[in-house]
Amino acid sequence: MENDKRAISILNELLEKNYDAEKGYRSAAENVKQHSRLSNFLLQNADIRQGFAIDLADEILELGGKPISDTSLMSDLHRAWINFTANVSAKNDEDAVLRECVKGEEAALKDYNKALKSKSLGDSTTTLLEDHRKQIILAINELESLEGAGEVL
């Protein structure tokens, strides 16, 4: 029972961060050239994060908890900063968005690593979080590939 409460709390924290990431990716996609490689990547990852949120909400319900349903104030501020940066530096907007996405994914990886250290998680929850973590690592690699190419079109 106590483990379930702790697991629900951990999952709700990740759920909130995935809501944040989904909105962040969609917002970032609006700040880059349409149909660019980066824009497509951002929209694809928004969909992936939406899927993560659904997975987490389902897992919370399975444990008898109530999933949260909103984003955090900090992420709202971060998205506003991305929008401001992109608008101020119009010729480098994609570079600024790309750098912020890398930061966001690295933070997500830390959050998942921290969650996976908890002894409160059951096997199915651990497997779910490990699957999400692997996809986050793939996103980081893709972002670094885009960043290293020097061209995100």
Side-chain angles (χ1 to χ4, degrees):
M1 179 79 162
E2 189 60 37
N3 275 350
D4 285 353
K5 286 182 182 180
R6 180 68 187 129
I8 290 165
S9 175
I10 291 167
L11 293 173
N12 264 320
E13 287 174 23
L14 291 175
L15 178 58
E16 179 179 48
K17 291 177 182 186
N18 277 288
Y19 287 147
D20 293 345
E22 178 193 354
K23 284 186 178 181
Y25 273 125
R26 292 195 194 288
S27 175
E30 293 173 6
N31 289 304
V32 299
K33 296 176 187 168
Q34 285 189 325
H35 308 297
S36 71
R37 183 173 169 202
L38 179 57
S39 175
N40 292 336
F41 171 83
L42 296 170
L43 291 173
Q44 178 184 29
N45 275 279
D47 291 343
I48 288 170
R49 288 311 189 91
Q50 183 179 38
F52 285 6
I54 291 167
D55 292 345
L56 292 167
D58 288 347
E59 193 73 13
I60 291 165
L61 290 170
E62 187 72 29
L63 293 171
K66 182 178 185 223
I68 61 155
S69 60
D70 204 2
T71 61
S72 71
L73 175 61
M74 288 305 294
S75 71
D76 293 341
L77 293 173
H78 188 247
R79 276 192 303 281
W81 185 88
I82 289 174
N83 290 338
F84 173 77
T85 301
N87 290 331
V88 168
S89 59
K91 73 176 187 171
N92 292 324
D93 62 329
E94 291 184 352
D95 291 334
V97 168
L98 186 58
R99 280 191 304 276
E100 288 307 308
C101 289
V102 170
K103 284 183 194 177
E105 286 301 318
E106 288 172 346
L109 183 59
K110 286 179 186 176
D111 293 336
Y112 271 82
N113 286 338
K114 179 182 172 187
L116 284 163
K117 289 179 183 175
S118 173
K119 303 294 183 204
S120 303
L121 305 177
D123 292 341
S124 67
T125 302
T126 298
T127 299
L128 174 69
L129 297 185
E130 286 173 347
D131 289 346
H132 288 188
R133 183 183 173 281
K134 287 175 189 173
Q135 290 185 54
I136 291 167
I137 291 170
L138 290 173
I140 290 170
N141 291 339
E142 176 85 13
L143 286 164
E144 289 174 346
S145 161
L146 290 169
E147 193 173 41
E151 178 182 332
V152 289
L153 297 177

